[in-house]
Amino acid sequence: MPSAGLYAGPMAWLVSTQANYALAAWSCSYQFPVIPLLAAVLAAVSLAGGVSSWRAYRQPLPADTTTVPAPDGSQVATLDGPEGGRPHRMIAAIGVLVALLFAVVIAVHGVAGLVFTGCER
């Protein structure tokens, strides 16, 4: 799925951010570093979306029988050709980059959970 990284990364970050706020008091009460563990799981979710986008980027699209006139009007080009059509590869490439960005942000949140205990107020 080309757009998996576009959805998995931000959704994992959303869950990470909300869970960090919700679990800070719990982490202080029980003295258990749950935030770094959750960050590792959610960074892996984001990276899994990036891997899915990467696989879609590397996979050639099947030939499409739908044709359109070429820009110069002299030949017929497929919608999947380099002349235009569906931007699957671009969406997949953006999905990989977005997934990597959000995985790094989630990892930084996890490292902050190692430094701060949740009892700082």
Side-chain angles (χ1 to χ4, degrees):
M1 172 178 234
S3 60
L6 287 174
Y7 299 117
M11 290 305 293
W13 171 75
L14 178 110
V15 170
S16 172
T17 302
Q18 293 300 316
N20 287 347
Y21 285 114
L23 294 175
W26 186 88
S27 181
C28 177
S29 297
Y30 292 98
Q31 295 296 315
F32 182 74
V34 70
I35 292 173
L37 297 175
L38 182 65
V41 170
L42 292 172
V45 168
S46 179
L47 291 175
V51 167
S52 178
S53 290
W54 176 253
R55 291 184 66 188
Y57 179 80
R58 301 287 295 165
Q59 179 181 6
L61 293 173
D64 192 354
T65 58
T66 306
T67 57
V68 295
D72 61 1
S74 63
Q75 57 183 341
V76 177
T78 66
L79 287 176
D80 289 331
E83 293 86 15
R86 296 175 277 191
H88 294 295
R89 289 188 57 138
M90 182 183 75
I91 295 297
I94 292 171
V96 170
L97 295 175
V98 166
L100 287 174
L101 173 71
F102 279 100
V104 168
V105 170
I106 293 167
V108 168
H109 284 179
V111 170
L114 290 173
V115 174
F116 299 110
T117 62
C119 299
E120 297 87 2
R121 290 188 189 202

